[in-house]
Short mmCIF file of all heavy atoms in Angstrom, two decimals:
data_model
loop_
_atom_site.label_atom_id
_atom_site.label_comp_id
_atom_site.label_asym_id
_atom_site.label_seq_id
_atom_site.Cartn_x
_atom_site.Cartn_y
_atom_site.Cartn_z
N ALA A 225 157.34 216.01 137.26
CA ALA A 225 156.09 216.77 137.36
C ALA A 225 154.88 215.87 137.09
O ALA A 225 153.85 215.98 137.77
CB ALA A 225 156.10 217.93 136.37
N ALA A 226 155.00 214.95 136.13
CA ALA A 226 153.89 214.05 135.81
C ALA A 226 153.62 213.08 136.96
O ALA A 226 152.46 212.82 137.30
CB ALA A 226 154.19 213.29 134.53
N ILE A 227 154.69 212.57 137.60
CA ILE A 227 154.51 211.66 138.73
C ILE A 227 153.89 212.39 139.91
O ILE A 227 153.00 211.87 140.59
CB ILE A 227 155.86 211.01 139.11
CG1 ILE A 227 156.23 209.95 138.07
CG2 ILE A 227 155.81 210.39 140.49
CD1 ILE A 227 157.57 209.32 138.28
N LYS A 228 154.33 213.61 140.15
CA LYS A 228 153.80 214.40 141.26
C LYS A 228 152.31 214.68 141.06
O LYS A 228 151.50 214.55 141.98
CB LYS A 228 154.58 215.71 141.35
CG LYS A 228 154.30 216.52 142.57
CD LYS A 228 155.22 217.74 142.60
CE LYS A 228 155.09 218.51 143.87
NZ LYS A 228 155.97 219.69 143.89
N GLU A 229 151.93 215.04 139.84
CA GLU A 229 150.53 215.33 139.53
C GLU A 229 149.67 214.07 139.63
O GLU A 229 148.55 214.12 140.15
CB GLU A 229 150.43 215.93 138.13
CG GLU A 229 149.04 216.38 137.75
CD GLU A 229 149.01 217.01 136.38
OE1 GLU A 229 149.94 217.77 136.05
OE2 GLU A 229 148.05 216.74 135.64
N ALA A 230 150.19 212.93 139.16
CA ALA A 230 149.44 211.66 139.23
C ALA A 230 149.24 211.23 140.68
O ALA A 230 148.20 210.69 141.03
CB ALA A 230 150.17 210.58 138.44
N ALA A 231 150.24 211.47 141.52
CA ALA A 231 150.11 211.12 142.94
C ALA A 231 149.07 212.00 143.63
O ALA A 231 148.31 211.52 144.48
CB ALA A 231 151.46 211.26 143.63
N GLN A 232 149.00 213.27 143.26
CA GLN A 232 148.00 214.17 143.84
C GLN A 232 146.59 213.77 143.44
O GLN A 232 145.66 213.86 144.24
CB GLN A 232 148.26 215.61 143.41
CG GLN A 232 149.44 216.25 144.08
CD GLN A 232 149.73 217.64 143.54
OE1 GLN A 232 149.16 218.04 142.53
NE2 GLN A 232 150.61 218.35 144.21
N LYS A 233 146.42 213.30 142.20
CA LYS A 233 145.10 212.89 141.73
C LYS A 233 144.72 211.49 142.21
O LYS A 233 143.58 211.07 142.05
CB LYS A 233 145.06 212.94 140.20
CG LYS A 233 145.10 214.34 139.66
CD LYS A 233 144.97 214.36 138.15
CE LYS A 233 144.98 215.77 137.62
NZ LYS A 233 144.90 215.82 136.16
N GLY A 234 145.69 210.74 142.75
CA GLY A 234 145.40 209.42 143.28
C GLY A 234 145.59 208.29 142.30
O GLY A 234 145.22 207.15 142.59
N TYR A 235 146.17 208.55 141.12
CA TYR A 235 146.38 207.49 140.14
C TYR A 235 147.60 206.65 140.48
O TYR A 235 147.65 205.47 140.17
CB TYR A 235 146.58 208.07 138.73
CG TYR A 235 145.45 208.95 138.25
CD1 TYR A 235 145.70 210.10 137.53
CD2 TYR A 235 144.13 208.61 138.50
CE1 TYR A 235 144.68 210.90 137.08
CE2 TYR A 235 143.10 209.41 138.06
CZ TYR A 235 143.38 210.55 137.35
OH TYR A 235 142.37 211.34 136.90
N LEU A 236 148.58 207.24 141.11
CA LEU A 236 149.84 206.57 141.42
C LEU A 236 149.94 206.44 142.93
O LEU A 236 150.15 207.42 143.64
CB LEU A 236 151.00 207.39 140.87
CG LEU A 236 152.38 206.78 140.92
CD1 LEU A 236 152.42 205.50 140.10
CD2 LEU A 236 153.40 207.75 140.38
N THR A 237 149.75 205.22 143.44
CA THR A 237 149.75 205.03 144.88
C THR A 237 151.14 204.75 145.42
O THR A 237 151.50 205.24 146.47
CB THR A 237 148.81 203.88 145.27
OG1 THR A 237 149.19 202.71 144.54
CG2 THR A 237 147.37 204.24 144.94
N GLU A 238 151.92 203.95 144.71
CA GLU A 238 153.29 203.67 145.17
C GLU A 238 154.21 203.58 143.97
O GLU A 238 153.81 203.23 142.87
CB GLU A 238 153.35 202.36 145.97
CG GLU A 238 153.08 201.12 145.14
CD GLU A 238 153.25 199.85 145.95
OE1 GLU A 238 152.33 199.53 146.70
OE2 GLU A 238 154.30 199.22 145.81
N ILE A 239 155.47 203.93 144.19
CA ILE A 239 156.49 203.89 143.14
C ILE A 239 157.55 202.89 143.57
O ILE A 239 158.07 202.97 144.67
CB ILE A 239 157.13 205.27 142.92
CG1 ILE A 239 156.09 206.29 142.54
CG2 ILE A 239 158.19 205.20 141.83
CD1 ILE A 239 156.61 207.70 142.46
N LYS A 240 157.87 201.96 142.67
CA LYS A 240 158.96 201.03 142.93
C LYS A 240 160.19 201.53 142.18
O LYS A 240 160.11 201.89 141.02
CB LYS A 240 158.59 199.62 142.44
CG LYS A 240 157.43 199.02 143.20
CD LYS A 240 157.12 197.65 142.66
CE LYS A 240 155.94 197.07 143.38
NZ LYS A 240 155.55 195.78 142.82
N TYR A 241 161.30 201.57 142.87
CA TYR A 241 162.54 202.01 142.25
C TYR A 241 163.43 200.80 141.99
O TYR A 241 163.46 199.86 142.77
CB TYR A 241 163.29 202.98 143.18
CG TYR A 241 162.55 204.27 143.41
CD1 TYR A 241 161.89 204.50 144.60
CD2 TYR A 241 162.51 205.25 142.43
CE1 TYR A 241 161.21 205.69 144.82
CE2 TYR A 241 161.83 206.44 142.63
CZ TYR A 241 161.18 206.64 143.83
OH TYR A 241 160.52 207.81 144.04
N LEU A 242 164.13 200.83 140.87
CA LEU A 242 165.07 199.78 140.52
C LEU A 242 166.47 200.34 140.54
O LEU A 242 166.74 201.39 139.93
CB LEU A 242 164.77 199.22 139.13
CG LEU A 242 163.38 198.63 138.91
CD1 LEU A 242 163.21 198.23 137.46
CD2 LEU A 242 163.18 197.43 139.81
N ALA A 243 167.38 199.68 141.23
CA ALA A 243 168.78 200.12 141.24
C ALA A 243 169.41 199.78 139.90
O ALA A 243 169.02 198.84 139.23
CB ALA A 243 169.53 199.45 142.38
#
Side-chain angles (χ1 to χ4, degrees):
I227 285 176
K228 190 176 186 180
E229 185 178 319
Q232 286 175 349
K233 290 184 179 178
Y235 303 141
L236 188 61
T237 55
E238 68 176 78
I239 301 173
K240 295 180 182 176
Y241 295 104
L242 301 175

